[in-house]
Amino acid sequence: MARNPRSIAPSNGGETHQTVEKAADATSILTTNQGIAVSDNQNSLKSGERGPTLLEDFVLREKIFHFDHERIPERIVHARGSGAHGYFEATDDISDLSKAALFRKGERTEVFVRFSTVAGGAGSVDTPRDVRGFAVKFYTTEGNWDLVGNNIPVFFIQDAMKFPDLVHAVKMEADRGYPQAGSAHDTFWDWASLMPETTHMLMWAMSDRTLPRSLRTMEGFGVHTFLLVNEAGEPHFVKFHWKPKLGIQSTIWDEALKLQAADNDYHRRDLFEAIDSGNFPEWELGIQVFDKGFADAQPYDVLDATKLIPEEDVPVRIIGRMVLDRNVDNFFAETEQVAFCPANIVPGIDFSNDPLLQGRLFSYLDTQKSRLGTANFHQIPVNAPRCPFQNFQRDGQMQMMVPKGRANYEPNSLAAHGEEPGPRECPDRGFSSATAPTGDGENGDKLRIRADRFADHYSQARLFYRSQTESEQAHIASSFVFELSKVASLDQVPGRMIANLRNVDEDLAKRVAAGLGIPLPKAAKSAREAFDMAPSAALSIHKNMKDMLEGRTVGILIADGTDAAEMDSVIALIEKAKGRVAIVAPKVGGAKLSDGSERAADGQLAGSPSQIFDAVAIILSAEGCAALLTEGAAIEFVMNAFGHLKAIGANDAAQPLLAKAGIVPDDGITGLDGAFTKAACRRFYAREPGLRMLA
């Protein structure tokens, strides 16, 4: 239990000392890391009142030493992350596919999840256009399983050999150290335009998938093809999918830019506050399962990480749910020190021969030693298995376990002499790799080569683009225009990229070329001719958004004189639809309502722009509206909500403010009745062509 120390202020330097009595409980006394009680935590030990500080001051040296080493090397990628605890519950029996204990129907498994951006450093912002990491650590009864994926089902490259080049190209340019956390610069597009295999991933990266509204409204994917193995040792190919309970939601580009200005920690704050308020984020875990026959029949290679399997071809089967119900107690100890590794799997799950996955199996383990400084990183609480673990690995930096006896090797005969012999292998329960062949070309000469079906770099990019709505296609084209416009010193790159896009979709290539004001180049030569695939509705955000207010926040702008009954009525409608309300007022203290009562505000107008809300309601009196007509923040509040395609509900007295903000009536502009809560469930993309020029 926390104790309130008594405070005294000595006369010498006027510094504040917070102390406890000699008889206080030992747990309330400040100590060094060695448990030695500290008498003065404000002043270093000096030779005389104004003399030099003494080297013998071990309290000072320990405190400064630890502070100097508080930071560990940040992740090279995925440095900016947010984490939370929760559980996974299996809801379907798949024992015919996998013997993994965590998939037994009804089994609950503790999890830790870390969401992240990819390109930016740990101090960058939450909302750039970027891929998002979606990593889950399952603390199963059989050991830890790490499903380390992204919010996009495919990746930029096919072979791990190219990963350092990808990261070097997308990170800050080596000579100037900028730009941070973005791909809109020379070196990334120079590299990408020379790597046709990136094309499919670029379609996703330039779509609204890389501008998520919330971490709670992202899909997650294992990216690679894995194997499920049952008790009989029979393998099946599998792709893992996380489906958010709240559906997929995104922002638009202008809104994302303004969110960066409004709140650098927007996604981190949203996740923390949702869990803290009991609105626990939830996802369903789904699997796509298929066999070698299906894999062989496809025109693409299922081991190619730049390809997906359309859900229309193999439907996603829901087998469980994940709920995040506890925030971290300490960001560094948990979110920063958590160490994920794709090589951490349990019996019943196995690797495929995906060459990108195979490289990751080495890379992740290697990087943990670099970041955390010791081979014993698995003993850090957030990384430690929840089941018993024991072996003959010994010593190393920061060894926390204290093994007893002489047994640090096996086989040994120490038991015959009355000594503890240590643990032994278990063929029946232990992990064993799947041995059945999963495809052709798995044996033979050792070659540096890719299978020929890896050479089709455009068919699935075409599938993705043609599966989007017209609005989403416009966003993709506009994103290419924006990013390529930032390629300043390499004038051949935009043309080279558009030449690749002509293999994806002719209209897309023309729109990007027109947006950049350059001639349409000849189509790039394709290593393998692209083919048409049936559009997949599962690939579109707009086609999969859920018309619901649950998990969304409505910002209500009020001012002095706002009708109390009208405001309460709107709040009741929103809460009935399971939405969250945030009151915004011109002053920090809130506003004085029509009935004389004071209503506190959740945010002040100048610091609570409409981009942090999913819809807005404007409830004003005539006098309150008149006062806001000269307030730039109020005009921008309404104007940005309209520009970001959100629903706006307003009473009659607020109409002059809407008019000054240039609001043009459409289906998303309503009164304050049930029509508003219905409109607040979605965005109005038909509004966009009248607001901004899109490619």
Side-chain angles (χ1 to χ4, degrees), residues 498 502 505-516 518 520:
I498 294 169
R502 291 195 71 175
D505 186 271
E506 191 69 12
D507 179 62
L508 171 62
K510 289 178 179 178
R511 293 165 78 167
V512 176
L516 292 170
I518 63 175
L520 187 68

Side-chain angles (χ1 to χ4, degrees), residues 472-489:
E472 289 173 306
Q473 289 179 346
H475 289 177
I476 292 171
S478 298
S479 299
F480 273 110
V481 171
F482 172 80
E483 299 249 336
L484 290 170
S485 73
K486 297 297 183 181
V487 180
S489 60

Side-chain angles (χ1 to χ4, degrees), residues 535-559:
S536 170
L539 304 182
S540 165
I541 294 177
H542 294 183
K543 295 174 185 176
N544 287 280
M545 291 182 71
K546 296 183 177 181
D547 282 344
M548 56 192 287
L549 261 187
E550 183 178 353
R552 306 189 192 195
T553 302
V554 178
I556 299 180
L557 177 61
I558 64 172

Side-chain angles (χ1 to χ4, degrees), residues 221-238:
F221 303 90
V223 178
H224 305 287
T225 297
F226 291 89
L227 298 178
L228 293 178
V229 184
N230 61 20
E231 287 285 0
E234 300 166 335
H236 293 79
F237 288 117
V238 64

Side-chain angles (χ1 to χ4, degrees), residues 51-290:
T53 299
L54 298 178
L55 186 62
E56 72 178 68
D57 188 352
F58 63 90
V59 178
L60 168 69
R61 285 188 287 115
E62 182 191 86
K63 188 175 181 180
I64 294 295
F65 171 81
H66 194 280
F67 173 77
D68 289 345
H69 296 273
E70 279 184 357
R71 295 294 173 262
I72 62 176
E74 68 178 40
R75 290 166 168 85
I76 296 174
V77 287
H78 296 279
R80 170 79 183 183
S82 302
H85 297 271
Y87 63 87
F88 170 76
E89 181 179 20
T91 57
D92 194 8
D93 178 18
I94 62 166
S95 57
D96 58 320
L97 299 172
S98 175
K99 61 183 178 181
L102 83 155
F103 293 141
R104 295 172 187 152
K105 188 174 181 179
E107 181 83 8
R108 273 201 178 190
T109 301
E110 182 185 349
V111 299
F112 185 84
V113 180
R114 187 177 187 273
F115 305 102
S116 56
T117 56
V118 174
S124 58
V125 299
D126 271 351
T127 50
R129 177 181 294 283
D130 199 359
V131 182
R132 297 310 195 277
F134 195 124
V136 183
K137 185 180 289 289
F138 298 80
Y139 302 98
T140 87
T141 58
E142 299 175 302
N144 289 354
W145 173 38
D146 292 351
L147 183 56
V148 192
N150 289 327
N151 72 325
I152 291 175
V154 294
F155 202 61
F156 291 98
I157 54 176
Q158 298 172 323
D159 193 296
M161 179 71 82
K162 299 306 299 173
F163 195 76
D165 299 296
L166 162 62
V167 175
H168 288 168
V170 77
K171 280 284 195 174
M172 299 178 293
E173 297 198 2
D175 60 342
R176 61 205 69 185
Y178 65 84
Q180 168 74 279
S183 57
H185 58 95
D186 288 1
T187 58
F188 174 72
W189 287 99
D190 181 36
W191 178 83
S193 65
L194 291 167
M195 293 284 292
E197 69 197 64
T198 66
T199 307
H200 187 196
M201 180 66 170
L202 290 173
M203 304 305 296
W204 289 79
M206 294 300 104
S207 79
D208 294 344
R209 294 275 179 159
T210 48
L211 303 174
R213 180 64 180 164
S214 165
L215 301 175
R216 300 177 291 130
T217 59
M218 294 194 314
E219 288 188 313
F221 303 90
V223 178
H224 305 287
T225 297
F226 291 89
L227 298 178
L228 293 178
V229 184
N230 61 20
E231 287 285 0
E234 300 166 335
H236 293 79
F237 288 117
V238 64
K239 292 270 195 180
F240 293 105
H241 296 247
W242 292 108
K243 301 282 190 181
K245 176 186 176 182
L246 299 177
I248 317 169
Q249 298 178 40
S250 66
T251 61
I252 59 176
W253 178 236
D254 180 73
E255 183 182 10
L257 295 176
K258 290 173 178 173
L259 276 170
Q260 290 182 28
D263 188 351
N264 288 342
D265 308 298
Y266 179 72
H267 286 154
R268 182 174 291 175
R269 189 187 313 279
D270 175 80
L271 178 67
F272 185 94
E273 291 181 350
I275 295 173
D276 198 47
S277 64
N279 295 311
F280 301 140
E282 183 173 336
W283 287 261
E284 292 178 318
L285 178 63
I287 55 175
Q288 286 180 298
V289 178
F290 52 99

Side-chain angles (χ1 to χ4, degrees), residues 577-597:
K578 298 184 178 181
R580 178 175 172 268
V581 170
I583 301 296
V584 178
K587 299 178 182 178
V588 175
K592 188 172 185 178
L593 304 183
S594 59
D595 61 0
S597 64

